[in-house]
Amino acid sequence: MTTRTAVVTGASSGIGRATAIALAKTGWDVVGVARRAERLQELADAHGIAVFAADLTDPTDVAALADWLQKRGAVHSVVQVAGGAAGTERVEDGRPEDWEWMFQANVLATQRLVSALLPQLRAASAAGSHADLVFVTSTAAQTAYPGGGGYNAAKAGESMLVQALRLELNGEPIRVVEIAPGLVHTEEFTLNRLRGDDAAAQKVYQDVEAPLVAEDVADVIAYALNAPAHVNLDLVTMRPVAQAAAHLLARGPLRPRGYES
């Protein structure tokens, strides 16, 4: 049986890194992609994963990645994790440069990646295998919240891209999967969003019992890719039990009703 190859973006940290490791453990040939070459090299050294440094907001880097992959061999799956949030200002106070970056990182980078790598996925499916496109969006794409306007808009744009793509690829042996996590405690996402304010970042998760971690999301991605070829997980929305909705987050121990004392 031919080993299947998965390209995982955002692989230098968080969900992307956890996904690359999870797929490698289940027998995939993994190519990790991210901007930070030194972090990628740590991943390669520790887990034997092939890596390629690229900034997906740079068309030249995306073209170089596609060319390198074409020479390397077949690509069966692409997992688009790279993206991010910047700021928590109200819409009226938002920084246009932050909104522009979020649209570039979450929407345009995703479109560039699809456009560049879809021919290789089609080639793999034409050779007798199915292919996969997996996108990590967010529950921010589904429900707006105060201070989230820019990220809400960017992730909703990415989610609409995914939904349109699934319709456009109907009839081809290519699965299009969207994973939309809620609160995930990773080392960098909230810290970057809050411009390096570690104290403020820690408050986001304070007293929340068992928020999701990167490995939880990676497990779902691995399941989606390892499921039988005819099974497509169109949309998986996942949250910690403590988070019933984007605006409803329990802080403190979870207890059955009537056992609060």
Side-chain angles (χ1 to χ4, degrees), residues 223-247:
Y223 175 83
L225 290 180
N226 290 320
H230 68 285
V231 177
N232 191 86
L233 304 186
D234 281 22
L235 170 63
V236 177
T237 299
M238 54 185 300
R239 297 185 177 95
V241 173
Q243 186 182 36
H247 66 285

Side-chain angles (χ1 to χ4, degrees), residues 2 11 20 46 60 81 90 128 193 196 231 237:
T2 303
T60 302
V81 183
R90 293 161 57 96
R193 184 176 194 175
V231 177
T237 299

